[in-house]
Amino acid sequence: MQQKINLSKAVADNNYHFDDIHSPLTHKEALEEASRCLYCYNAPCITACPTHINIPDFIRKISTNNLQGSAQTILSENIFGGSCARVCPTEILCEHACVRNTHPESNPVKIGLLQRHAIDNIQGEYPFVRKSDTNKKIAVIGAGPAGISCAHKLAQLGHAIDIFEKESKIGGLNEYGIASYKLVNNYSELEINKILDIGNINIFTKKTLGDNLFLNDLLDRYHAVFIAIGLASARKLNIPGESLPNVLDATHFIHTIRQHQIQESLKGKSAIVIGGGNTAIDVAVQLKKLGAGKVTLAYRRGYQHMSATLKEQQLAQLHDVHKETWFNPIKIDQLTDKKLAVTFHIQTHEIPQETITLTADYVFKAIGQTLCTQSLFRQNQSTLSVHQRKIAVNDNYQTSIPSVFAGGDCIYKGQDLTVYAVQQGKEAAESIHSYIIGD
Ligand code: SF4
């Protein structure tokens, strides 16, 4: 069960107005940056982008002041081009592949910031039109990047879409799971409103698979179903003390911050964040931004094994997050009314099996998410095969039930990043289209 944040006293000094972590480029800066692109033949940046945006093409259009055309190039491959420009780890994707990295200055073209410049300056609606109606209906379960991307593509192809979302707001990870300083000023909602302008997409919120929404019913009412439910369950530490009151799930905490629901001041409070991924860094940095005192990131392996990118690790450093590596938690105790004590095994070869105890007001678990398979099989639902604890699909995103497709974090493909979810939604839409028109 998702543990509630036990912050009961209402106080007003949590500052939710996170500044944008990257300032946008001015138009003059964008023109200068665009001029650094070499417009490579067989550009490696395109291959490195999971959605295969024609990067040199959109950069060339910026350099000729054609921002509308530039945005169109981006959106035609990635309908979430605006949020991906903000949240993508470009340093391990397109910018990592940029040939400018091998030039003496060793400084890639700032592709992410250029992409943001083009999308932020688009005039009017997103430039898409729907084909004529096919009279086919598709149900999409989950209104995150994979679900919305799939729905948008299917709507373009002339189909009618109903999206079912378990939360009260749509957006999935972009709305509930990304650190506030990465998507500021309600960006997720604004972007999705523009995406939904294409029409023929209905949204139904507070619909949870296995609770008040069942696959069998959908199979009777729709020509196909696309499941994009993400990974809703936090992975457990499986150690004593895990269910103590102030031991919290990281993603739930981020969710709470993003919806401005924390009621107790975190000023001066200490915290231990257990994990080594981007979510762990997101939590640690947001705690610091909310005024927390000592925040320790404790990871069971070394820096080189962390899934958080180097840039994210540097961000944590910049915010004075204390880091401990080779710290493997073995138990959590309630030390006093307010304090928790976490005991770790220190796992280096030099110091085998020594233990150390750290104390803090809060402990955050950020060791990953898993698929809540219960929701898939509860109450008379048709059976879906599972592979490596995720929904099993073939190369066309088709599950073990022919009219049911799945994509995004709930399948075992690509990394758990927004940009992969968008691409999978897009590709799955093509497969669903072929399936329902009998191609
Ligand atoms: Fe431009 Fe770098 Fe891509 Fe080459 S690899 S096209 S220089 S952004």
Side-chain angles (χ1 to χ4, degrees):
M1 204 181 81
Q2 181 73 66
Q3 194 184 336
K4 291 261 181 277
I5 284 192
N6 183 25
L7 302 171
S8 52
K9 259 193 311 141
V11 287
D13 61 355
N14 282 320
N15 176 13
Y16 291 111
H17 300 291
F18 292 99
D19 290 333
D20 202 337
I21 194 162
H22 299 297
S23 320
L25 298 174
T26 63
H27 189 54
K28 183 168 173 285
E29 287 167 341
L31 289 175
E32 278 168 17
E33 194 57 30
S35 72
R36 295 182 60 238
C37 180
L38 304 171
Y39 308 116
C40 307
Y41 181 71
N42 277 342
C45 55
I46 301 178
T47 315
C49 170
T51 57
H52 312 305
I53 293 170
N54 191 331
I55 292 166
D57 187 45
F58 93 68
I59 294 179
R60 191 191 299 277
K61 286 173 179 162
I62 290 177
S63 72
T64 57
N65 283 317
N66 178 8
L67 293 182
Q68 202 75 1
S70 178
Q72 193 154 354
T73 298
I74 296 161
L75 294 170
S76 65
E77 293 299 343
N78 182 343
I79 195 65
F80 280 87
S83 52
C84 284
R86 291 161 164 83
V87 306
C88 252
T90 50
E91 67 277 16
I92 59 168
L93 298 171
C94 55
E95 292 179 17
H96 179 71
C98 178
V99 298
R100 279 279 187 195
N101 272 322
T102 54
H103 276 231
E105 82 253 47
S106 201
N107 198 1
V109 174
K110 291 176 181 146
I111 300 168
L113 282 171
L114 286 171
Q115 179 167 316
R116 176 173 170 173
H117 184 72
I119 300 287
D120 285 359
N121 286 288
I122 195 167
Q123 303 294 319
E125 293 188 353
Y126 279 2
F128 293 95
V129 281
R130 283 201 327 264
K131 288 192 175 163
S132 50
D133 285 351
T134 59
N135 293 319
K136 304 281 187 193
K137 285 191 84 175
I138 297 118
V140 171
I141 310 173
I148 301 260
S149 161
C150 181
H152 184 267
K153 185 52 116 182
L154 288 168
Q156 258 183 283
L157 293 165
H159 306 303
I161 325 298
D162 286 344
I163 303 184
F164 300 94
E165 165 59 44
K166 76 175 164 61
E167 300 289 349
S168 53
K169 284 187 182 176
I170 59 174
L173 266 193
N174 279 8
E175 177 60 44
Y176 292 105
I178 302 263
S180 301
Y181 49 82
K182 291 180 181 169
L183 283 178
V184 299
N185 300 331
N186 239 2
Y187 188 81
S188 172
E189 197 174 329
L190 295 173
E191 180 179 51
I192 290 178
N193 285 341
K194 287 196 161 207
I195 295 173
L196 296 180
D197 277 344
I198 191 158
N200 245 9
I201 302 176
N202 297 310
I203 309 270
F204 302 91
T205 56
K206 299 197 172 174
K207 294 287 181 190
T208 306
L209 191 62
D211 272 354
N212 55 5
L213 182 73
F214 297 99
L215 204 47
N216 286 347
D217 296 342
L218 298 178
L219 290 172
D220 290 341
R221 288 164 43 211
Y222 293 89
H223 293 93
V225 176
F226 180 60
I227 302 179
I229 53 176
L231 300 173
S233 302
R235 209 168 260 150
K236 286 191 163 57
L237 292 166
N238 290 321
I239 59 173
E242 181 162 10
S243 45
L244 285 168
N246 282 344
V247 181
L248 308 167
D249 291 340
T251 46
H252 181 58
F253 178 68
I254 292 173
H255 178 131
T256 312
I257 293 179
R258 286 197 60 103
Q259 302 309 309
H260 297 192
Q261 286 166 346
I262 293 184
Q263 293 176 310
E264 185 174 283
S265 173
L266 293 167
K267 279 215 160 86
K269 297 282 168 64
S270 55
I272 297 167
V273 182
I274 298 173
N278 287 347
T279 302
I281 305 262
D282 281 355
V283 168
V285 171
Q286 284 188 113
L287 282 165
K288 292 301 285 188
K289 282 177 179 284
L290 288 167
K294 185 168 183 182
V295 176
T296 305
L297 191 79
Y299 181 52
R300 70 188 168 91
R301 301 176 74 196
Y303 287 114
Q304 69 276 29
H305 304 109
M306 281 187 173
S307 63
T309 63
L310 190 61
K311 197 166 149 195
E312 293 285 326
Q313 291 183 39
Q314 286 165 345
L315 185 69
Q317 189 102 17
L318 199 70
H319 285 83
D320 205 19
V321 172
H322 191 76
K323 285 185 253 160
E324 296 288 3
T325 51
W326 301 107
F327 269 41
N328 189 24
I330 52 170
K331 65 169 180 161
I332 306 171
D333 293 303
Q334 188 79 54
L335 198 61
T336 64
D337 234 16
K338 302 242 160 128
K339 289 277 178 206
L340 294 161
V342 186
T343 305
F344 297 90
H345 264 153
I346 303 175
Q347 302 211 127
T348 58
H349 293 302
E350 296 88 56
I351 329 171
Q353 297 297 300
E354 186 178 317
T355 61
I356 190 165
T357 299
L358 302 180
T359 60
D361 296 298
Y362 297 101
V363 173
F364 293 92
K365 297 180 284 180
I367 55 166
Q369 299 289 112
T370 59
L371 180 67
C372 179
T373 45
Q374 273 180 349
S375 68
L376 293 177
F377 304 121
R378 210 178 290 151
Q379 290 187 16
N380 295 329
Q381 300 213 21
S382 297
T383 307
L384 288 170
S385 297
V386 170
H387 169 67
Q388 308 235 13
R389 295 186 179 177
K390 295 196 174 186
I391 299 173
V393 292
N394 64 17
D395 290 345
N396 298 320
Y397 299 93
Q398 195 168 30
T399 69
S400 49
I401 303 170
S403 60
V404 178
F405 295 73
D409 293 353
C410 64
I411 66 164
Y412 194 76
K413 191 172 186 180
Q415 298 175 45
D416 294 347
L417 293 173
T418 297
V419 68
Y420 280 99
V422 173
Q423 179 67 3
Q424 291 174 11
K426 187 176 88 181
E427 290 176 348
E430 302 281 2
S431 296
I432 293 168
H433 176 68
S434 296
Y435 174 80
I436 58 180
I437 62 163
D439 182 1

